[in-house]
């Protein structure tokens, strides 16, 4: 019998009261109350459970982390007497969001697929330690809840930490295009965390500074990038005709907190090809045998490559038709030149089409 004694009657509330000292007690107990007037008696029986309060301290090694850093979680479990709770299983739960003021974990948090749970054991002297590696996309405030997996213990631990992260999207771009052209690409700079980032700087890096492919960024980002803010920037690239066969540019973002994030645009460059166009494409003439007629033809380079080594070849089946007076033997893209088609049939040529 843990305790036995008479109940005290309180006239003001018409209640019977007993004070049972339970300090240091835990476990399941049965209560039996016997009421009697000397003739009859009645017995009331109930059960109760006394859970033990413990000191549960949990913390992370830092309050704020940069993307890619490991979170060190440490804790200490002791009884109110100061004795350690050794070799006991502890459930650690890392969830997105601010901690609850009352330390209560909601049902939605428990069943959220992004919530991560781990089982660890205290060591022989009570301390608890674990290393949490955040996923690449983790950013913002996270709460760590810890629960001792043991009967008759009623205290849990809670702490929180924040991960800072900035994204540049798309992170990787591969482009195949022709030389003697331009290229534009819009990238987005985004603060995916829930704290304002300070000292934000944007830098364009040419990995091959000796080549003739040039690039520039249009627009910029503010020095303070608010939580959730997104800013588009445009990468413009100029690729000359004599460019190398590849080029690579990095777009790098840094912050005063120490964040470094970058994306790249990689180019595979194909030789630019010329494309000749003649105007007119068909020369219609009418001339008598022994006569002469001349028509001018315009040559346009409608391609992206230089047209070099231009020559004129007369039709071998019509010896009285010739192409003469070519004004240029090389044409840059978009340039034109002319030549003459001379039709001069001999008097012996039979009329016809």
């Amino acid at each position: 019998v843990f305790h036995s004694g008479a109940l005290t009657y309180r006239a003001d509330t018409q209640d019977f009261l007993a004070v049972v000292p339970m300090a240091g007690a835990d476990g399941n107990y049965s209560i039996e109350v016997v009421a009697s007037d000397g003739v009859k008696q009645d017995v009331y029986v109930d059960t109760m459970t006394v859970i033990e309060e413990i000191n549960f301290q949990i913390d992370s090694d830092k309050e704020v982390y940069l993307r890619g850093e490991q979170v060190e979680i440490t804790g200490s479990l002791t009884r109110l007497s100061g004795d350690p709770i050794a070799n006991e299983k502890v459930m650690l739960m890392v969830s997105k969001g601010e901690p609850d003021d009352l330390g209560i974990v909601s049902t939605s948090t428990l069943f959220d697929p992004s919530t991560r749970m781990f089982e660890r054991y205290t060591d022989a002297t009570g301390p608890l330690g674990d290393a949490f590696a955040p996923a690449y996309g983790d950013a913002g405030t996270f709460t760590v809840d810890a629960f001792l997996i043991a009967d008759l213990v009623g205290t849990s631990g809670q702490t929180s930490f924040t991960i800072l992260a900035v994204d540049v999207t798309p992170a990787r771009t591969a482009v195949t295009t022709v030389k003697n052209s331009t290229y534009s690409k819009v990238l987005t700079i985004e603060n995916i965390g829930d704290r304002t980032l300070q000292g934000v700087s944007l830098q364009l890096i040419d990995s091959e500074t000796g080549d003739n492919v040039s690039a520039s960024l249009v627009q910029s980002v503010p020095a303070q990038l608010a939580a959730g803010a997104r800013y588009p920037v445009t990468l413009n690239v100029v690729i000359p005709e004599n460019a190398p066969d590849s080029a690579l540019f990095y777009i790098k973002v840094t912050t005063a907190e120490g964040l470094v994030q970058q994306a790249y645009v990689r180019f595979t460059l194909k030789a630019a090809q010329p494309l000749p166009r003649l105007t007119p494409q068909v020369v219609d003439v009418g001339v008598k045998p022994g006569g002469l007629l001349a028509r001018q033809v315009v040559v346009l380079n409608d391609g992206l490559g230089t047209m070099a080594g231009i020559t004129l070849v007369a039709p071998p089946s019509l010896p009285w038709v010739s192409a003469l007076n070519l004004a240029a033997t090389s044409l840059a893209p978009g340039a034109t030149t002319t030549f003459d088609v001379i039709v001069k049939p001999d008097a012996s040529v039979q009329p016809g089409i």
Side-chain angles (χ1 to χ4, degrees):
V1 176
F2 184 81
H3 177 79
S4 178
L7 300 178
T8 302
Y9 179 71
R10 295 182 55 179
D12 56 339
T13 60
Q14 297 184 345
D15 290 330
F16 287 90
L17 176 67
V19 177
V20 180
M22 300 295 293
D26 62 75
N28 297 316
Y29 294 85
S30 62
I31 304 169
E32 182 178 289
V33 179
V34 180
S36 174
D37 60 1
V39 178
K40 292 184 178 181
Q41 72 175 25
D42 197 6
V43 178
Y44 170 80
V45 179
D46 202 352
T47 59
M48 70 175 184
T49 300
V50 178
I51 61 175
E52 179 186 10
E53 290 289 330
I54 63 172
N55 293 317
F56 201 145
Q57 296 179 342
I58 188 168
D59 204 356
S60 56
D61 60 327
K62 294 195 299 184
E63 180 186 356
V64 178
Y65 297 84
L66 305 182
R67 168 182 277 173
E69 291 185 326
Q70 185 169 270
V71 180
E72 297 291 339
I73 300 172
T74 57
S76 176
L77 287 77
T78 59
R79 304 184 188 279
L80 297 183
S81 63
D83 295 331
I85 299 179
N87 304 315
E88 292 286 354
K89 184 188 295 184
V90 176
M91 172 70 75
L92 292 175
M93 185 172 69
V94 180
S95 59
K96 184 71 171 17
E98 297 281 351
D100 182 84
D101 291 339
L102 300 177
I104 299 173
V105 179
S106 66
T107 303
S108 59
T109 299
L110 287 171
F111 291 97
D112 189 327
S114 67
T115 298
R116 278 147 283 185
M117 299 183 182
F118 315 90
E119 288 187 354
R120 297 293 184 267
Y121 284 86
T122 61
D123 66 15
T125 58
L128 170 74
D130 190 36
F132 169 65
Y136 181 80
D138 285 341
T141 300
F142 289 80
T143 297
V144 182
D145 290 283
F147 308 92
L148 183 61
I149 309 300
D151 294 336
L152 308 179
V153 176
T155 303
S156 62
Q158 187 179 73
T159 189
S160 64
F161 59 88
T162 298
I163 300 174
L164 303 181
V166 62
D167 267 350
V168 184
T169 54
R172 295 173 291 276
T173 303
V175 179
T176 299
T177 187
V178 296
K179 302 175 185 180
N180 201 23
S181 63
T182 60
Y183 175 85
S184 294
K185 179 70 176 180
V186 177
L187 300 100
T188 301
I189 314 300
E190 181 180 5
N191 178 0
I192 63 173
D194 53 16
R195 290 193 181 187
T196 297
L197 297 176
Q198 306 292 332
V200 180
S201 177
L202 186 62
Q203 182 182 6
L204 175 62
I205 301 172
D206 185 349
S207 66
E208 298 292 341
T209 55
D211 65 21
N212 57 356
V213 181
S214 60
S216 61
L217 285 175
V218 182
Q219 297 101 26
S220 61
V221 295
Q224 291 185 329
L225 193 60
R230 305 172 78 247
Y231 283 85
V233 294
T234 302
L235 173 70
N236 291 328
V237 183
V238 178
I239 308 165
E241 186 176 1
N242 60 342
D245 294 336
S246 63
L248 177 63
F249 295 93
Y250 291 94
I251 297 86
K252 182 178 180 181
V253 178
T254 59
T255 73
E257 294 85 356
L259 282 173
V260 178
Q261 189 67 29
Q262 65 182 18
Y264 70 77
V265 181
R266 184 187 302 276
F267 290 88
T268 300
L269 303 175
K270 304 295 184 180
Q273 300 297 323
L275 180 62
R277 294 193 185 278
L278 304 179
T279 305
Q281 292 184 335
V282 177
V283 179
D284 290 323
V285 298
V287 61
K288 293 180 180 181
L292 184 147
L293 191 65
R295 291 287 188 270
Q296 188 177 73
V297 177
V298 177
V299 182
L300 166 67
N301 181 1
D302 205 21
L304 294 175
T306 297
M307 187 186 301
I310 302 172
T311 58
L312 300 176
V313 179
S317 60
L318 299 173
W320 39 270
V321 176
S322 59
L324 305 171
N325 306 322
L326 179 63
T329 60
S330 179
L331 289 179
T336 61
T337 190
T338 61
F339 67 90
D340 295 325
V341 175
I342 308 298
V343 181
K344 186 181 178 183
D346 295 336
S348 62
V349 174
Q350 295 295 320
I353 298 177

